[in-house]
Amino acid sequence: MKSLEYENTTLRCHFFNTKDELFQNENIRKAFTYAMDREDINSTIYFDTHKPSYSWVMGPVSTGENGSYREQVGETPLKDIMANQDPKELLLKGMEELGLGDDPSQITVTLSVGGTTQWLRTYGEYFQQKYEDVLGVKIELEQNEWGTFQSKINSGDYQMGYMSWTIDYNDPISMLEIMKSDAGSIPTFWVNEEYDKLITQASKEMDEAKRTELYKQAEQILLEECPVCPVTNEVYHGFVYSYVKNISTSPFNTMGMKKVYTSGR
């Protein structure tokens, strides 16, 4: 028996209501994004079963003949953006810009989740502690059944939310197009005309290298303005007998067991 592990195409993330009085401010969104210790989250919450995420497009996604998108453009663009940035200073700067004074303890943010399980309560309690430790703010957890949660975020009745997203097909645009201003898939109400233009252009570009560069530019804008906050990429874990050969580790495999065989039983 041997273990089988591979990164799949589901991203777990936080997202911000950019029409909210607080999260309309880019520096405050950055503060809440940069304040996360993703390695600690992966260890404490997920027991190292997933992968800390510093990008919006997941690792297994390819652009075509040139292969992995992440290998072409870099694995951790958000980590590079975060380098030498102090989340607390960004929070204070954002508070000053909004005329909210200089006492983070007066800030209370509601984290909304789509479920009422104990796991989600524990998840919220983790962020209550960590955001208070790093930023000095207070976090309130709002738990609703999925239908109520979806209705509230669609109407903009939230501040910061948590959800997971799985892409539909093997191309970066499957993940990037959901953040266009007219998409509404993750209702952050974020609008960036340059981002929209890049995604529209990429959807028509036939040259793979040029298309990849457009994807890279768009993802950089998204991660710099922080309407969304990637946290972890899910990882598949399983076991297979050692004599079973040619098991696919691609989440986009459509062959099933067709090319699997046994040897050395």
Side-chain angles (χ1 to χ4, degrees):
M1 189 75 72
K2 59 183 179 181
S3 63
L4 188 66
E5 296 182 6
Y6 58 86
E7 186 179 346
N8 66 25
T9 55
T10 297
L11 173 71
R12 300 191 181 194
C13 65
H14 287 194
F15 56 99
F16 307 108
N17 180 356
T18 63
K19 290 185 177 180
D20 176 72
E21 180 183 1
L22 191 65
F23 288 112
Q24 64 178 299
N25 184 274
E26 183 177 318
N27 281 314
I28 289 180
R29 297 196 303 269
K30 287 180 177 179
F32 277 77
T33 299
Y34 299 175
M36 286 189 182
D37 183 337
R38 287 159 177 78
E39 280 71 20
D40 185 69
I41 293 168
N42 190 48
S43 175
T44 304
I45 297 177
Y46 298 107
F47 302 100
D48 293 317
T49 58
H50 293 320
K51 178 182 177 182
S53 180
Y54 292 93
S55 61
W56 187 243
V57 180
M58 305 83 154
V61 180
S62 70
T63 61
E65 293 183 358
N66 291 342
S68 167
Y69 169 73
R70 292 260 62 94
E71 290 181 3
Q72 293 176 69
V73 304
E75 290 286 345
T76 57
L78 181 58
K79 181 180 282 189
D80 297 336
I81 295 169
M82 290 167 55
N84 302 316
Q85 298 278 356
D86 186 327
K88 186 72 169 286
E89 288 184 3
L90 288 167
L91 176 66
L92 292 171
K93 182 178 180 181
M95 290 175 63
E96 180 182 1
E97 291 168 347
L98 294 174
L100 296 177
D102 58 2
D103 183 1
S105 69
Q106 299 302 306
I107 300 291
T108 299
V109 171
T110 299
L111 170 61
S112 300
V113 298
T116 58
T117 64
Q118 180 58 48
W119 187 91
L120 281 169
R121 178 168 295 280
T122 303
Y123 183 88
E125 289 171 352
Y126 171 91
F127 282 97
Q128 285 177 324
Q129 176 185 331
K130 294 300 181 180
Y131 276 133
E132 184 168 5
D133 290 346
V134 178
L135 297 178
V137 301
K138 295 180 174 64
I139 300 292
E140 292 183 352
L141 178 64
E142 180 182 70
Q143 291 185 267
N144 287 299
E145 296 293 348
W146 179 258
T148 303
F149 168 77
Q150 191 73 59
S151 176
K152 294 188 77 168
I153 64 171
N154 284 341
S155 66
D157 185 16
Y158 80 100
Q159 288 186 288
M160 175 171 61
Y162 161 80
M163 68 163 58
S164 60
W165 191 271
T166 303
I167 65 173
D168 297 322
Y169 54 92
N170 188 15
D171 190 273
I173 202 169
S174 183
M175 197 65 187
L176 294 167
E177 67 183 353
I178 66 173
M179 291 309 300
K180 285 186 66 180
S181 60
D182 60 355
S185 302
I186 301 179
T188 65
F189 311 105
W190 175 68
V191 177
N192 183 292
E193 292 182 1
E194 180 63 20
Y195 182 89
D196 288 356
K197 179 181 176 181
L198 288 166
I199 298 303
T200 299
Q201 187 178 348
S203 69
K204 302 174 183 178
E205 178 58 62
M206 300 303 294
D207 183 281
E208 184 180 339
K210 292 180 180 178
R211 188 170 65 250
T212 299
E213 179 58 30
L214 294 170
Y215 291 155
K216 178 182 178 181
Q217 292 176 35
E219 186 180 33
Q220 188 78 10
I221 291 172
L222 183 67
L223 295 175
E224 285 178 348
E225 296 200 3
C226 298
V228 287
C229 172
V231 182
T232 56
N233 286 345
E234 292 188 4
V235 174
Y236 171 83
H237 298 268
F239 294 92
V240 63
Y241 285 110
S242 57
Y243 55 76
V244 177
K245 310 296 182 182
N246 210 34
I247 290 280
S248 174
T249 57
S250 169
F252 298 105
N253 174 46
T254 59
M255 297 295 291
M257 304 294 283
K258 184 175 181 179
K259 295 186 178 181
V260 176
Y261 63 94
T262 62
S263 176
R265 298 183 64 171

